[in-house]
Amino acid sequence: TKDTVFCGLTQFTAIAPVGYDKYQWINGTTPDGTGESYLINAGGTYSLKVDSMGCSKTSDPVKVSFQSLPATPVIASLN
């Protein structure tokens, strides 16, 4: 499983390669969305199953997490 961390975001749109007959996005083990794009707005493990000419293949899973940005540092004067 590949880990992907998004800092300062609460969602993003995953885009699949074009040219397949069917798309099935999988959230954990649950089939969730169809189509070439998929809105991910919660941490979890996601994969994509594609079908082409009667054959199917599923991507390796990607673990997604969303993290807040750290506070902005302030440079203080030593004078």
Side-chain angles (χ1 to χ4, degrees):
T1 302
K2 180 181 176 182
D3 290 350
T4 302
V5 177
F6 291 93
C7 297
L9 296 176
T10 58
Q11 66 183 24
F12 80 99
T13 301
I15 308 286
V18 297
Y20 294 99
D21 299 329
K22 294 180 184 177
Y23 299 85
Q24 179 67 68
W25 295 91
I26 302 163
N27 180 352
T29 58
T30 305
D32 198 11
T34 58
E36 292 178 13
S37 64
Y38 178 69
L39 180 66
I40 296 176
N41 58 11
T45 302
Y46 297 86
S47 56
L48 171 64
K49 178 182 175 184
V50 294
D51 292 315
S52 182
M53 298 178 9
C55 298
S56 65
K57 189 73 174 175
T58 302
S59 71
D60 290 334
V62 175
K63 184 178 178 184
V64 173
S65 63
F66 296 94
Q67 301 296 330
S68 299
L69 290 172
T72 302
V74 176
I75 299 173
S77 172
L78 296 177
N79 296 350

Coordinates of all heavy atoms in Angstrom, one line a residue:
T1 N 0.8 -1.2 0.0 CA 0.0 0.0 0.0 C 0.9 1.2 0.0 O 1.8 1.4 0.8 CB -0.9 0.0 1.2 OG1 -1.7 -1.2 1.2 CG2 -1.8 1.2 1.2
K2 N 0.6 2.1 -0.9 CA 1.3 3.4 -1.0 C 0.6 4.4 -0.1 O -0.6 4.5 -0.2 CB 1.4 3.9 -2.5 CG 2.1 5.2 -2.7 CD 2.1 5.6 -4.1 CE 2.7 6.9 -4.3 NZ 2.7 7.4 -5.7
D3 N 1.4 5.2 0.7 CA 0.8 6.2 1.5 C 0.9 7.6 0.8 O 1.9 7.9 0.3 CB 1.5 6.3 2.9 CG 1.3 5.1 3.8 OD1 0.4 4.3 3.4 OD2 1.9 5.0 4.8
T4 N -0.2 8.3 0.9 CA -0.3 9.7 0.3 C -0.9 10.6 1.3 O -2.0 10.4 1.8 CB -1.1 9.7 -1.0 OG1 -0.5 8.8 -1.9 CG2 -1.1 11.1 -1.6
V5 N -0.1 11.7 1.7 CA -0.6 12.6 2.7 C -0.9 14.0 1.9 O 0.0 14.5 1.2 CB 0.4 12.8 3.8 CG1 -0.1 13.9 4.8 CG2 0.7 11.5 4.5
F6 N -2.1 14.5 2.2 CA -2.4 15.8 1.6 C -2.4 16.8 2.8 O -3.2 16.7 3.7 CB -3.8 15.8 0.9 CG -3.7 15.0 -0.4 CD1 -4.1 13.6 -0.3 CD2 -3.3 15.5 -1.5 CE1 -4.0 12.9 -1.5 CE2 -3.3 14.8 -2.7 CZ -3.6 13.4 -2.7
C7 N -1.6 17.8 2.7 CA -1.5 18.8 3.8 C -2.3 20.1 3.4 O -2.1 20.6 2.3 CB 0.0 19.2 4.0 SG 1.0 17.8 4.6
G8 N -3.2 20.5 4.3 CA -3.9 21.7 4.0 C -5.1 21.5 3.1 O -5.8 22.5 2.8
L9 N -5.4 20.3 2.7 CA -6.6 20.0 1.9 C -7.6 19.2 2.6 O -7.3 18.5 3.6 CB -6.2 19.2 0.6 CG -5.2 19.9 -0.4 CD1 -4.9 18.9 -1.5 CD2 -5.9 21.1 -1.0
T10 N -8.9 19.3 2.2 CA -9.9 18.4 2.8 C -10.5 17.5 1.8 O -11.3 16.6 2.2 CB -11.0 19.3 3.4 OG1 -11.6 20.1 2.4 CG2 -10.5 20.2 4.6
Q11 N -10.1 17.6 0.5 CA -10.6 16.7 -0.5 C -9.7 16.9 -1.8 O -9.0 17.9 -1.9 CB -12.0 17.0 -0.9 CG -12.3 18.4 -1.5 CD -13.8 18.6 -1.7 OE1 -14.6 18.0 -1.1 NE2 -14.1 19.5 -2.7
F12 N -9.8 15.9 -2.6 CA -9.2 16.1 -3.9 C -9.8 15.1 -4.9 O -10.5 14.2 -4.5 CB -7.6 15.8 -3.9 CG -7.3 14.4 -3.9 CD1 -6.9 13.7 -5.0 CD2 -7.3 13.6 -2.7 CE1 -6.5 12.4 -5.0 CE2 -7.0 12.3 -2.6 CZ -6.6 11.7 -3.8
T13 N -9.7 15.3 -6.2 CA -10.3 14.5 -7.2 C -9.2 13.6 -7.8 O -8.2 14.1 -8.4 CB -11.0 15.4 -8.3 OG1 -12.0 16.2 -7.7 CG2 -11.6 14.5 -9.3
A14 N -9.5 12.3 -7.7 CA -8.6 11.3 -8.4 C -9.0 11.2 -9.8 O -10.2 11.1 -10.1 CB -8.6 10.0 -7.6
I15 N -8.1 11.1 -10.7 CA -8.4 10.9 -12.1 C -7.8 9.6 -12.6 O -6.6 9.3 -12.4 CB -7.8 12.1 -12.9 CG1 -8.2 13.4 -12.4 CG2 -8.1 12.0 -14.4 CD1 -9.6 13.8 -12.6
A16 N -8.6 8.8 -13.3 CA -8.2 7.5 -13.8 C -7.7 7.7 -15.3 O -8.1 8.7 -15.9 CB -9.3 6.5 -13.8
P17 N -6.8 6.8 -15.8 CA -6.5 6.9 -17.2 C -7.7 6.7 -18.1 O -8.6 5.9 -17.7 CB -5.5 5.7 -17.3 CG -5.2 5.2 -16.0 CD -6.2 5.7 -15.1
V18 N -7.7 7.3 -19.2 CA -8.8 7.2 -20.1 C -8.7 6.0 -20.9 O -7.6 5.4 -21.0 CB -9.0 8.5 -21.0 CG1 -9.3 9.7 -20.2 CG2 -7.7 8.7 -21.9
G19 N -9.8 5.5 -21.5 CA -9.7 4.4 -22.5 C -10.3 3.1 -22.1 O -10.2 2.1 -22.8
Y20 N -10.8 3.0 -20.9 CA -11.4 1.8 -20.4 C -12.9 1.8 -20.6 O -13.5 2.9 -20.7 CB -11.0 1.5 -18.9 CG -9.6 1.3 -18.7 CD1 -8.7 2.4 -18.2 CD2 -9.0 0.1 -18.9 CE1 -7.4 2.2 -18.0 CE2 -7.6 -0.1 -18.7 CZ -6.8 0.9 -18.3 OH -5.5 0.7 -18.1
D21 N -13.5 0.6 -20.6 CA -15.0 0.5 -20.8 C -15.7 0.9 -19.5 O -16.8 1.5 -19.6 CB -15.4 -0.9 -21.2 CG -14.7 -1.2 -22.6 OD1 -14.5 -0.4 -23.4 OD2 -14.5 -2.4 -22.8
K22 N -15.2 0.4 -18.4 CA -15.9 0.7 -17.1 C -14.8 1.0 -16.0 O -13.7 0.5 -16.1 CB -16.6 -0.6 -16.6 CG -17.8 -0.9 -17.5 CD -18.5 -2.2 -16.9 CE -19.6 -2.7 -17.9 NZ -20.2 -3.9 -17.3
Y23 N -15.2 1.8 -15.1 CA -14.4 2.2 -13.9 C -15.2 1.9 -12.6 O -16.4 2.2 -12.5 CB -14.1 3.7 -14.0 CG -13.3 4.1 -15.2 CD1 -14.0 4.4 -16.4 CD2 -11.9 4.2 -15.2 CE1 -13.3 4.8 -17.5 CE2 -11.2 4.6 -16.3 CZ -11.9 4.9 -17.5 OH -11.2 5.3 -18.6
Q24 N -14.5 1.4 -11.6 CA -15.1 1.2 -10.3 C -14.1 1.6 -9.3 O -13.1 0.9 -9.1 CB -15.5 -0.3 -10.1 CG -16.1 -0.6 -8.8 CD -17.5 0.1 -8.6 OE1 -18.4 -0.3 -9.2 NE2 -17.5 1.1 -7.7
W25 N -14.4 2.7 -8.6 CA -13.5 3.1 -7.5 C -13.9 2.3 -6.2 O -15.1 2.1 -6.0 CB -13.7 4.6 -7.3 CG -13.2 5.4 -8.4 CD1 -14.0 5.8 -9.5 CD2 -11.9 5.9 -8.7 NE1 -13.2 6.5 -10.4 CE2 -11.9 6.6 -9.9 CE3 -10.7 5.8 -8.0 CZ2 -10.8 7.1 -10.4 CZ3 -9.6 6.4 -8.5 CH2 -9.6 7.0 -9.7
I26 N -12.9 2.0 -5.4 CA -13.2 1.1 -4.3 C -12.6 1.9 -3.0 O -11.4 2.2 -3.0 CB -12.5 -0.2 -4.4 CG1 -13.1 -0.9 -5.7 CG2 -12.8 -1.1 -3.2 CD1 -12.3 -2.1 -6.2
N27 N -13.5 2.0 -2.0 CA -13.1 2.7 -0.8 C -13.0 1.6 0.3 O -14.0 1.0 0.7 CB -14.2 3.7 -0.4 CG -13.9 4.4 0.9 OD1 -12.9 4.1 1.6 ND2 -14.7 5.4 1.2
G28 N -11.7 1.2 0.6 CA -11.5 0.0 1.5 C -11.9 -1.2 0.7 O -11.2 -1.6 -0.3
T29 N -13.0 -1.9 1.0 CA -13.4 -3.0 0.3 C -14.8 -2.8 -0.3 O -15.4 -3.7 -1.0 CB -13.5 -4.3 1.2 OG1 -14.4 -4.0 2.3 CG2 -12.2 -4.7 1.8
T30 N -15.3 -1.5 -0.2 CA -16.6 -1.2 -0.7 C -16.6 -0.5 -2.0 O -16.0 0.6 -2.1 CB -17.3 -0.3 0.4 OG1 -17.3 -0.9 1.6 CG2 -18.8 0.0 -0.1
P31 N -17.2 -1.1 -3.1 CA -17.4 -0.3 -4.3 C -18.1 1.0 -4.1 O -19.1 1.0 -3.3 CB -18.2 -1.3 -5.2 CG -18.0 -2.6 -4.6 CD -17.9 -2.4 -3.1
D32 N -17.6 2.1 -4.6 CA -18.1 3.4 -4.3 C -18.5 4.2 -5.5 O -19.7 4.6 -5.6 CB -17.1 4.2 -3.4 CG -17.7 5.3 -2.6 OD1 -19.0 5.4 -2.6 OD2 -17.0 6.1 -2.1
G33 N -17.7 4.5 -6.4 CA -18.0 5.4 -7.5 C -17.6 4.8 -8.8 O -16.8 3.9 -8.9
T34 N -18.2 5.3 -9.8 CA -17.9 4.9 -11.2 C -17.5 6.2 -12.0 O -17.9 7.3 -11.6 CB -19.1 4.2 -11.9 OG1 -20.2 5.0 -11.9 CG2 -19.4 2.9 -11.1
G35 N -16.8 6.0 -13.1 CA -16.4 7.1 -13.9 C -14.9 7.4 -13.9 O -14.2 6.7 -13.1
E36 N -14.5 8.2 -14.7 CA -13.0 8.5 -14.8 C -12.5 9.3 -13.7 O -11.3 9.4 -13.5 CB -12.7 9.2 -16.2 CG -13.0 8.2 -17.3 CD -12.7 8.9 -18.7 OE1 -12.1 10.0 -18.7 OE2 -13.1 8.3 -19.7
S37 N -13.3 10.0 -12.9 CA -12.9 10.8 -11.8 C -13.7 10.4 -10.5 O -14.8 9.9 -10.6 CB -13.0 12.3 -12.1 OG -14.3 12.7 -12.2
Y38 N -13.0 10.7 -9.4 CA -13.6 10.3 -8.1 C -13.2 11.3 -7.0 O -12.0 11.5 -6.8 CB -13.2 8.9 -7.8 CG -13.7 8.3 -6.5 CD1 -15.0 8.0 -6.3 CD2 -12.8 8.1 -5.4 CE1 -15.4 7.5 -5.1 CE2 -13.2 7.6 -4.2 CZ -14.6 7.3 -4.1 OH -15.0 6.7 -2.9
L39 N -14.2 11.9 -6.3 CA -13.9 12.8 -5.3 C -13.6 12.0 -4.0 O -14.4 11.3 -3.5 CB -15.1 13.7 -5.0 CG -14.9 14.8 -3.9 CD1 -13.8 15.8 -4.3 CD2 -16.2 15.5 -3.6
I40 N -12.4 12.3 -3.5 CA -11.9 11.7 -2.2 C -12.0 12.8 -1.2 O -11.3 13.8 -1.3 CB -10.6 11.0 -2.3 CG1 -10.6 9.9 -3.3 CG2 -10.1 10.6 -1.0 CD1 -9.3 9.2 -3.6
N41 N -12.8 12.6 -0.1 CA -12.9 13.7 0.9 C -12.8 13.1 2.3 O -13.2 13.7 3.3 CB -14.2 14.5 0.7 CG -15.4 13.6 0.8 OD1 -15.4 12.4 1.1 ND2 -16.6 14.1 0.4
A42 N -12.2 11.9 2.4 CA -12.0 11.3 3.7 C -10.8 10.4 3.6 O -10.5 9.8 2.6 CB -13.2 10.5 4.2
G43 N -10.0 10.3 4.7 CA -8.9 9.4 4.7 C -9.4 7.9 4.6 O -10.5 7.6 4.9
G44 N -8.5 7.1 4.0 CA -8.9 5.7 3.8 C -8.0 5.1 2.8 O -7.0 5.7 2.3
T45 N -8.3 3.9 2.4 CA -7.5 3.1 1.4 C -8.4 3.0 0.2 O -9.5 2.5 0.3 CB -7.1 1.7 2.0 OG1 -6.3 1.9 3.2 CG2 -6.3 1.0 1.0
Y46 N -7.9 3.4 -0.9 CA -8.6 3.5 -2.2 C -7.9 2.7 -3.3 O -6.7 2.6 -3.3 CB -8.8 4.9 -2.6 CG -9.6 5.8 -1.7 CD1 -9.0 6.4 -0.6 CD2 -11.0 5.9 -1.8 CE1 -9.7 7.1 0.3 CE2 -11.7 6.6 -0.9 CZ -11.1 7.3 0.2 OH -11.8 8.0 1.1
S47 N -8.7 2.1 -4.2 CA -8.2 1.5 -5.3 C -9.1 1.7 -6.5 O -10.3 2.2 -6.3 CB -7.9 0.0 -5.1 OG -9.0 -0.7 -4.7
L48 N -8.7 1.3 -7.7 CA -9.5 1.5 -8.9 C -9.5 0.2 -9.7 O -8.5 -0.4 -10.0 CB -8.9 2.6 -9.7 CG -9.5 2.8 -11.1 CD1 -11.0 3.2 -11.0 CD2 -8.7 3.8 -11.9
K49 N -10.7 -0.3 -10.0 CA -10.9 -1.4 -10.9 C -11.3 -1.0 -12.2 O -12.3 -0.2 -12.3 CB -11.9 -2.4 -10.3 CG -12.1 -3.6 -11.2 CD -13.1 -4.6 -10.6 CE -13.5 -5.7 -11.5 NZ -14.6 -6.6 -10.9
V50 N -10.7 -1.4 -13.3 CA -11.1 -1.0 -14.7 C -11.4 -2.3 -15.5 O -10.9 -3.4 -15.2 CB -10.0 -0.2 -15.4 CG1 -9.8 1.1 -14.7 CG2 -8.7 -1.0 -15.5
D51 N -12.3 -2.1 -16.4 CA -12.7 -3.2 -17.3 C -12.5 -2.7 -18.7 O -12.8 -1.6 -19.1 CB -14.2 -3.6 -17.1 CG -14.5 -4.2 -15.8 OD1 -13.7 -5.1 -15.4 OD2 -15.5 -3.9 -15.2
S52 N -12.0 -3.7 -19.6 CA -11.8 -3.4 -21.0 C -12.0 -4.6 -21.8 O -11.3 -5.6 -21.5 CB -10.4 -2.8 -21.2 OG -10.2 -2.4 -22.5
M53 N -12.9 -4.6 -22.7 CA -13.2 -5.7 -23.6 C -13.4 -7.1 -22.8 O -12.8 -8.1 -23.2 CB -12.0 -5.9 -24.6 CG -12.0 -4.6 -25.5 SD -10.7 -4.5 -26.7 CE -9.9 -6.1 -26.8
G54 N -14.1 -7.0 -21.7 CA -14.4 -8.2 -20.9 C -13.4 -8.6 -19.9 O -13.6 -9.6 -19.2
C55 N -12.2 -7.9 -19.8 CA -11.2 -8.2 -18.8 C -11.1 -7.1 -17.8 O -11.3 -5.9 -18.2 CB -9.9 -8.4 -19.5 SG -9.9 -9.8 -20.7
S56 N -10.7 -7.4 -16.6 CA -10.6 -6.4 -15.6 C -9.3 -6.5 -14.8 O -8.6 -7.6 -14.8 CB -11.8 -6.5 -14.6 OG -11.7 -7.7 -13.8
K57 N -8.9 -5.4 -14.3 CA -7.6 -5.3 -13.5 C -7.9 -4.3 -12.4 O -8.5 -3.2 -12.6 CB -6.5 -4.9 -14.4 CG -5.1 -4.9 -13.8 CD -4.7 -6.4 -13.6 CE -3.2 -6.4 -13.2 NZ -2.8 -7.7 -12.9
T58 N -7.3 -4.5 -11.2 CA -7.4 -3.6 -10.1 C -6.1 -3.0 -9.7 O -5.1 -3.8 -9.6 CB -8.1 -4.3 -8.9 OG1 -9.3 -4.8 -9.2 CG2 -8.3 -3.4 -7.7
S59 N -6.1 -1.7 -9.4 CA -4.8 -1.0 -9.1 C -4.3 -1.5 -7.7 O -5.1 -2.1 -6.9 CB -5.0 0.5 -9.0 OG -5.8 0.8 -7.9
D60 N -3.1 -1.2 -7.4 CA -2.6 -1.4 -6.0 C -3.3 -0.4 -5.2 O -3.7 0.7 -5.6 CB -1.1 -1.1 -5.9 CG -0.3 -2.2 -6.6 OD1 -0.8 -3.4 -6.7 OD2 0.8 -1.9 -7.0
P61 N -3.6 -0.7 -3.9 CA -4.3 0.3 -3.0 C -3.4 1.5 -2.7 O -2.2 1.3 -2.6 CB -4.6 -0.5 -1.8 CG -3.7 -1.7 -1.8 CD -3.4 -1.9 -3.2
V62 N -4.0 2.6 -2.4 CA -3.3 3.8 -2.0 C -4.0 4.3 -0.7 O -5.2 4.5 -0.6 CB -3.4 5.0 -3.0 CG1 -2.8 6.2 -2.5 CG2 -2.8 4.5 -4.3
K63 N -3.2 4.4 0.4 CA -3.7 4.9 1.6 C -3.6 6.5 1.6 O -2.6 7.0 1.5 CB -2.9 4.4 2.8 CG -3.4 4.8 4.2 CD -2.6 4.1 5.3 CE -3.1 4.6 6.6 NZ -2.3 4.0 7.7
V64 N -4.8 7.1 1.8 CA -4.9 8.6 1.7 C -5.1 9.1 3.1 O -6.0 8.6 3.9 CB -6.0 9.0 0.8 CG1 -6.2 10.5 0.8 CG2 -5.7 8.5 -0.6
S65 N -4.5 10.2 3.5 CA -4.8 10.9 4.7 C -4.7 12.4 4.5 O -4.0 12.8 3.6 CB -3.9 10.5 5.9 OG -2.5 10.8 5.6
F66 N -5.5 13.1 5.2 CA -5.5 14.6 5.2 C -5.0 15.1 6.5 O -5.4 14.7 7.6 CB -6.9 15.1 4.9 CG -7.5 14.7 3.6 CD1 -8.3 13.5 3.5 CD2 -7.2 15.4 2.5 CE1 -8.8 13.1 2.2 CE2 -7.7 15.0 1.2 CZ -8.5 13.9 1.1
Q67 N -4.1 16.1 6.4 CA -3.5 16.7 7.6 C -3.6 18.2 7.5 O -3.5 18.8 6.5 CB -2.0 16.3 7.8 CG -1.8 14.8 7.8 CD -2.4 14.1 9.1 OE1 -2.5 14.8 10.1 NE2 -2.8 12.9 9.0
S68 N -3.8 18.8 8.7 CA -3.8 20.2 8.8 C -2.4 20.8 8.6 O -1.4 20.1 9.0 CB -4.3 20.7 10.1 OG -5.7 20.3 10.3
L69 N -2.3 22.0 8.0 CA -1.0 22.6 8.0 C -0.5 23.0 9.4 O -1.3 23.4 10.2 CB -1.0 23.8 7.1 CG -1.2 23.6 5.6 CD1 -1.4 24.9 4.8 CD2 0.0 22.9 5.0
P70 N 0.8 23.0 9.6 CA 1.2 23.5 10.9 C 1.1 25.0 11.0 O 0.9 25.6 10.0 CB 2.7 23.1 11.0 CG 3.1 22.9 9.5 CD 1.9 22.5 8.8
A71 N 1.1 25.5 12.2 CA 1.0 27.0 12.4 C 2.2 27.6 11.7 O 3.3 27.1 11.6 CB 1.1 27.3 13.9
T72 N 1.9 28.8 11.2 CA 3.0 29.6 10.5 C 4.0 30.1 11.5 O 3.7 30.7 12.5 CB 2.4 30.8 9.8 OG1 1.3 30.4 8.9 CG2 3.4 31.6 9.0
P73 N 5.3 29.8 11.2 CA 6.3 30.2 12.2 C 6.5 31.7 12.1 O 6.3 32.3 11.0 CB 7.6 29.5 11.7 CG 7.3 29.2 10.2 CD 5.8 29.0 10.1
V74 N 6.9 32.3 13.2 CA 7.2 33.7 13.2 C 8.6 33.9 13.6 O 9.1 33.3 14.6 CB 6.3 34.4 14.3 CG1 6.7 35.9 14.4 CG2 4.8 34.3 13.9
I75 N 9.4 34.7 12.8 CA 10.8 34.9 13.1 C 10.9 36.1 14.1 O 10.3 37.2 13.8 CB 11.5 35.2 11.8 CG1 11.4 34.0 10.9 CG2 13.0 35.6 12.1 CD1 12.0 34.3 9.5
A76 N 11.5 35.8 15.2 CA 11.6 36.9 16.2 C 12.9 37.5 16.2 O 13.9 36.9 15.8 CB 11.3 36.3 17.6
S77 N 13.0 38.8 16.6 CA 14.3 39.5 16.6 C 15.0 39.2 18.0 O 14.3 39.1 19.0 CB 14.0 41.0 16.6 OG 15.2 41.7 16.8
L78 N 16.3 39.0 17.9 CA 17.0 38.8 19.1 C 17.5 40.1 19.8 O 18.2 40.0 20.8 CB 18.3 37.9 18.8 CG 17.9 36.5 18.3 CD1 19.2 35.7 17.9 CD2 17.1 35.7 19.3
N79 N 17.2 41.2 19.3 CA 17.6 42.5 19.8 C 16.8 42.9 21.0 O 15.7 42.8 21.2 CB 17.5 43.6 18.8 CG 18.5 43.3 17.6 OD1 19.3 42.5 17.7 ND2 18.4 44.1 16.6

